Amino acid sequence: MKRLLLLLSLTPSLAIAWEDADLLSYIMQNNPVMQSHQQVVNEYTLSKTWMDRIKRGSTLVARATAGGSEFVDSSSTVFGGINISIPFSTENERRDRALKQLNRATASDELKSRILSDMSKLRQMEAELEAASIQIKFWRDKLEWTKKRIETGYAEQSELWDIGQKINAGKAAIAGLDINIKNQQHTLSRYAGNSWQVVLKYLNGKGELWA
């Protein structure tokens, strides 16, 4: 037991350091779905002045007719002007904007839930990889120790076979976990839209989110 504890303390951490909060914040800011929702909310922002609101409800109109009129001696008559719709109440605007904000909040909660779930999966895989690496180092050290015992006649050759099998099984587990971790990193990175490469480098310890 003392030997195992010593190995655990001496084995360096294999997991790349990344912060959950920073990663979540960066992905939410760069996610194309959330950016689209925010753009819609911004477009439904209440106008600041009455003139802004009048401009939003105003349209240019023009019409041409043939034959003139009783007031104008001409073969054609042209009418032009501006249609102005003055919004005396902003109740509809408030309701529309509140609905857009609700839709954005709902989408945000759903996206956060998926991201946090995938982050948790990645953390679990990294922990399993670190545990497997610690275990395989233990068996390699035990292999060398057993070889010395065989040389002095205190162990049988069959013990080497058993340890070798455990080392091979550990290598296979590490290889599988490494593939799963890479796939999970790509899954998380894709949430960030066009900035997915930034996230991928960050998860691999090769860059910063806000460089």
Side-chain angles (χ1 to χ4, degrees), residues 25-110:
S25 176
Y26 185 85
I27 290 177
M28 293 298 292
Q29 288 182 25
N30 290 276
N31 180 264
V33 174
M34 294 311 304
Q35 289 177 341
S36 297
H37 275 286
Q38 186 59 52
Q39 183 177 359
V40 171
V41 171
N42 292 341
E43 289 176 354
Y44 274 79
T45 300
L46 295 176
S47 304
K48 295 181 179 180
T49 66
W50 275 94
M51 184 56 66
D52 289 336
R53 294 171 62 199
I54 290 175
K55 288 179 180 178
R56 288 176 56 183
S58 303
T59 56
L60 293 173
V61 296
R63 183 177 63 183
T65 60
S69 69
E70 59 178 314
F71 302 106
V72 180
D73 183 15
S74 174
S75 59
S76 64
T77 305
V78 178
F79 297 93
I82 301 176
N83 279 339
I84 299 178
S85 175
I86 302 177
F88 291 99
S89 173
T90 61
E91 187 62 32
N92 288 338
E93 293 181 42
R94 291 194 183 96
R95 183 167 55 249
D96 289 343
R97 187 165 188 267
L99 180 60
K100 300 304 177 184
Q101 288 175 326
L102 176 61
N103 291 339
R104 183 186 184 282
T106 301
S108 177
D109 288 342
E110 293 175 351

Side-chain angles (χ1 to χ4, degrees), residues 8 19 33 37 54 66 69 73 106 112 115 127 132 141-143 153 163 166 168 183 192-193 209:
L8 290 173
E19 296 295 333
V33 174
H37 275 286
I54 290 175
S69 69
D73 183 15
T106 301
K112 282 182 181 179
I115 293 172
D141 288 347
K142 187 172 182 178
L143 179 66
I163 295 174
K166 291 176 180 178
N168 289 335
N183 290 337
L209 293 176

Side-chain angles (χ1 to χ4, degrees), residues 118 121-126 128-129 172-188 200 203:
D118 283 324
K121 291 177 183 177
L122 180 57
R123 287 290 193 196
Q124 180 63 32
M125 292 176 186
E126 289 177 339
E128 291 175 1
L129 177 62
I174 288 175
L177 284 168
D178 188 56
I179 293 174
N180 291 339
I181 286 174
K182 284 181 170 58
N183 290 337
Q184 192 64 17
Q185 287 175 339
H186 276 276
T187 297
L188 268 174
L200 188 60
L203 290 173

